[in-house]
């Protein structure tokens, strides 16, 4: 399966600290997306990074992509209680549909 | 939730009964998807639609059927519900059908099959 695998599965940090989560995948991709899911809600798109890009920013979010290692990381800087959520990577390769990983559950401790 | 309404939001049913979940969008997006979310499995694609009356199977389509008679509505039917279909079901929409399309999700339907 092309499914991305997030690491760690769960992460707890103090408010104000930075949070980093990783996604590894198995075959070459066209692009990779990150989504956030708050408890009891649907997923919300955060960032899309294409295979020819190495880094993208959006506010406090920074996503990197290393195609040689088949991995991506999502960095959330200066975390807030509202960042408590599950974060999913989703990979696209070939003509296939988007494939979602199992997620990282992030808890921000006030 | 980006103009996407799922109904019902919660449902409890018995094994062997038919169940239909509805997804309604007001965004006029061409593509619509049904996913199920289970612990340890992430989101898995059940079926998707690329236009009115145009649908195709996803990764976990067995036991499910779909229909799309209007652009705005995408129905997921469990012909005879089983306990293994207890899950949270999400509808999503996108303008692009390729994997580079951003997907917008509904709030989900929590289904329990007893």
């Amino acid at each position: 399966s092309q499914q991305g695998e997030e690491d760690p599965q769960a992460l707890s940090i103090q408010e104000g600290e930075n949070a980093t989560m990783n996604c590894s995948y198995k075959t070459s991709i066209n692009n990779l997306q990150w989504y956030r899911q708050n408890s009891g809600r649907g997923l919300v798109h955060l960032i899309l990074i294409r295979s020819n890009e190495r880094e993208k920013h959006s506010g406090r979010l920074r996503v990197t992509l290393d195609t040689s290692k088949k991995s991506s990381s999502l960095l959330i800087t200066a975390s807030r209680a509202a960042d408590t959520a599950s974060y999913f990577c989703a990979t696209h390769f070939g003509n296939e549909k988007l494939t979602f990983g199992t997620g990282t559950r992030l808890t921000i401790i006030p | 939730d980006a103009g996407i309404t799922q109904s019902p939001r919660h449902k409890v049913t018995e094994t062997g009964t038919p169940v239909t979940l509805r997804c309604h969008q007001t965004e006029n997006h061409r593509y619509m998807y049904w996913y199920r979310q289970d612990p340890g499995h992430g989101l898995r694609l059940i079926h998707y639609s690329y236009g009115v009356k145009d649908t195709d199977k996803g990764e976990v389509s067995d036991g499910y059927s779909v229909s799309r008679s209007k652009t705005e509505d995408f129905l997921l039917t469990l012909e005879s519900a089983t306990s293994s279909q207890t899950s949270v079901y999400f509808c999503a929409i996108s303008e692009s059908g390729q994997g580079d399309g951003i997907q917008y999700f509904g709030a989900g339907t929590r289904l329990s099959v007893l």
Side-chain angles (χ1 to χ4, degrees):
Chain A
S1 169
Q2 173 59 23
Q3 183 183 50
E5 291 292 332
E6 290 90 342
D7 174 65
Q9 291 187 324
L11 177 64
S12 292
I13 61 172
Q14 296 289 330
E15 192 169 18
E17 293 181 339
N18 296 341
T20 299
M21 55 206 84
N22 305 294
C23 172
S24 59
Y25 54 91
K26 297 176 182 175
T27 62
S28 296
I29 58 171
N30 299 336
N31 66 70
L32 185 146
Q33 302 183 34
W34 284 92
Y35 286 79
R36 182 188 75 234
Q37 183 181 31
N38 292 93
S39 181
R41 305 294 298 272
L43 278 70
V44 174
H45 180 263
L46 297 176
I47 288 183
L48 180 152
I49 187 165
R50 302 189 186 282
S51 60
N52 61 353
E53 298 175 312
R54 292 297 169 259
E55 187 170 311
K56 288 192 81 170
H57 296 254
S58 177
R60 294 183 297 111
L61 306 181
R62 181 173 75 110
V63 169
T64 60
L65 179 65
D66 187 335
T67 54
S68 66
K69 294 182 179 179
K70 294 185 172 59
S71 69
S72 174
S73 67
L74 170 65
L75 168 67
I76 303 173
T77 60
S79 63
R80 306 168 181 170
D83 294 328
T84 293
S86 292
Y87 292 81
F88 295 86
C89 68
T91 52
H92 170 230
F93 70 103
N95 293 319
E96 299 299 314
K97 297 301 176 187
L98 214 54
T99 304
F100 289 84
T102 54
T104 291
R105 188 169 61 254
L106 175 65
T107 302
I108 307 300
I109 303 167
Chain B
D1 291 312
I4 306 168
T5 303
Q6 291 187 232
S7 59
R9 291 294 315 280
H10 302 272
K11 186 168 183 67
V12 180
T13 191
E14 293 185 350
T15 298
T17 60
V19 176
T20 296
L21 308 183
R22 180 179 183 241
C23 178
H24 178 79
Q25 62 149 326
T26 58
E27 307 296 324
N28 201 37
H29 283 358
R30 177 181 175 187
Y31 297 88
M32 300 185 74
Y33 310 83
W34 277 108
Y35 292 91
R36 60 178 290 173
Q37 185 176 35
D38 305 287
H41 290 279
L43 266 73
R44 291 181 291 175
L45 182 64
I46 305 172
H47 281 279
Y48 65 96
S49 169
Y50 48 97
V52 173
K53 291 184 171 43
D54 293 324
T55 65
D56 206 348
K57 296 179 180 180
E59 178 188 356
V60 290
S61 59
D62 287 347
Y64 302 94
S65 62
V66 291
S67 65
R68 190 171 179 196
S69 58
K70 298 186 290 185
T71 298
E72 57 266 35
D73 289 326
F74 193 32
L75 304 181
L76 176 70
T77 297
L78 291 65
E79 302 290 348
S80 178
T82 67
S83 58
S84 64
Q85 293 176 312
T86 292
S87 186
V88 181
Y89 292 86
F90 287 98
C91 172
I93 64 175
S94 69
E95 290 185 283
S96 168
Q98 295 301 311
D100 61 352
I102 294 171
Q103 295 191 11
Y104 303 91
F105 285 79
T109 294
R110 185 173 296 275
L111 176 67
S112 295
V113 183
L114 305 178

